[in-house]
C-alpha cells in the first residue's frame, strides 16, 4: 500500500513540474526550449502555421517572459484604490479573451488554455499566419508581426502604431530578440532535435 502511495505521489510531483516548467534563462532560446515538450510544441506550431520558431518565441518573450499566469498590472486610483486591469490579457501569449475565443472557433481547439505553452504558441502561430494572410506581413518579419499582434489586424491596417513611438521601439526590441533567438537556435538545434528523437 505504501509503495503504491509513493508511486502516485512521485507521478503527481513529476507532472506538476512539467506543467509549471519555467526556463532558467528567458533570453536564451536553447534554455527556453530545453523542455522536450516545449520544443515539440514549437516545432508543431511552426510546421502548421509557417511562422519560424524564433519569431513566435520573440513575441512570447515580449508578452510574458514565459510566465504562464501573468496579467496586466492592476491600476489604482489615488495610489491605493484598485480600479481594475486595463485588459483581460492573460497567459504566455497575453491573449485577450475575445481574441482567444476567435482562435478557438477558428481552429476547433476547444480545450485550449491561455496558461498552457503548447496552446499559447499555437495561438501565436495562428495569429501570425492570419497577419500574413490578411495584411501581407511576412511570417519572418518579427517587427511588423508584433505591431499587428499588439494593435490588432484592424489597428495595423489603419496604421495606429505610427502614433505610438513607444510601441515601435518595443517592436524593434522584438526584432532584435528574434534575430538573437535565430542565432542561438542555429547553434543548439542539433541537440534539441536529438532530445525529441529519443533513443530509437
Amino acid at each position: 500500500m505504501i509503495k503504491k502511495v509513493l508511486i502516485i505521489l512521485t507521478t503527481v510531483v513529476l507532472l506538476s513540474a512539467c506543467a509549471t516548467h519555467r526556463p532558467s534563462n528567458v533570453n536564451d532560446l536553447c534554455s527556453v526550449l530545453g523542455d522536450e515538450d516545449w520544443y515539440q510544441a514549437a516545432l508543431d506550431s511552426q510546421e502548421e502555421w509557417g511562422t519560424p520558431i524564433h519569431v513566435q518565441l520573440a513575441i512570447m518573450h515580449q508578452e510574458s517572459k514565459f510566465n504562464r499566469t501573468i496579467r496586466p498590472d492592476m491600476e489604482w486610483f489615488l495610489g491605493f484604490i484598485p480600479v481594475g486591469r486595463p485588459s483581460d490579457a492573460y497567459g504566455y501569449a497575453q491573449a485577450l479573451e475575445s481574441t482567444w475565443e476567435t482562435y478557438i472557433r477558428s481552429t476547433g481547439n476547444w480545450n485550449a488554455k491561455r496558461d498552457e505553452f503548447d496552446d499559447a504558441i499555437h495561438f501565436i502561430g495562428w495569429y501570425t499566419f492570419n497577419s500574413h494572410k490578411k495584411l501581407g506581413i511576412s511570417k519572418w518579419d518579427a517587427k511588423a508581426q508584433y505591431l499587428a499582434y499588439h494593435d490588432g489586424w484592424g489597428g495595423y491596417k489603419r496604421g495606429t502604431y505610427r502614433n505610438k513611438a513607444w510601441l515601435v521601439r518595443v517592436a524593434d526590441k522584438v526584432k532584435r530578440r528574434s534575430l538573437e533567438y535565430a542565432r542561438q537556435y542555429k547553434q543548439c538545434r542539433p541537440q534539441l532535435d536529438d532530445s525529441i528523437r529519443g533513443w530509437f
Side-chain angles (χ1 to χ4, degrees), residues 174-186:
V174 173
K175 177 182 177 179
R176 291 193 297 272
R177 173 80 53 203
S178 172
L179 293 173
E180 179 64 12
Y181 273 175
R183 184 190 65 78
Q184 293 166 350
Y185 184 43
K186 187 175 181 180

Side-chain angles (χ1 to χ4, degrees), residues 33-44 46-47 53 185 188-200:
L33 294 180
D35 180 287
E36 292 89 346
D37 291 338
W38 279 32
Y39 183 44
Q40 187 62 63
L43 283 174
D44 291 346
Q46 176 181 258
E47 182 176 345
I53 285 175
Y185 184 43
C188 66
R189 183 173 181 176
Q191 291 81 12
L192 290 172
D193 287 343
D194 285 344
S195 74
I196 61 172
R197 284 193 195 105
W199 295 99
F200 302 101

Side-chain angles (χ1 to χ4, degrees), residues 43-86:
L43 283 174
D44 291 346
S45 182
Q46 176 181 258
E47 182 176 345
E48 181 167 357
W49 303 112
T51 303
I53 285 175
H54 60 274
V55 172
Q56 295 186 60
L57 289 180
I59 291 172
M60 190 179 286
H61 178 283
Q62 180 59 43
E63 292 299 281
S64 69
K65 304 293 189 293
F66 306 99
N67 181 342
R68 71 196 303 255
T69 59
I70 195 168
R71 298 178 186 274
D73 291 336
M74 179 69 70
E75 294 183 340
W76 303 83
F77 177 67
L78 299 178
F80 64 93
I81 302 171
V83 295
R85 302 179 193 277

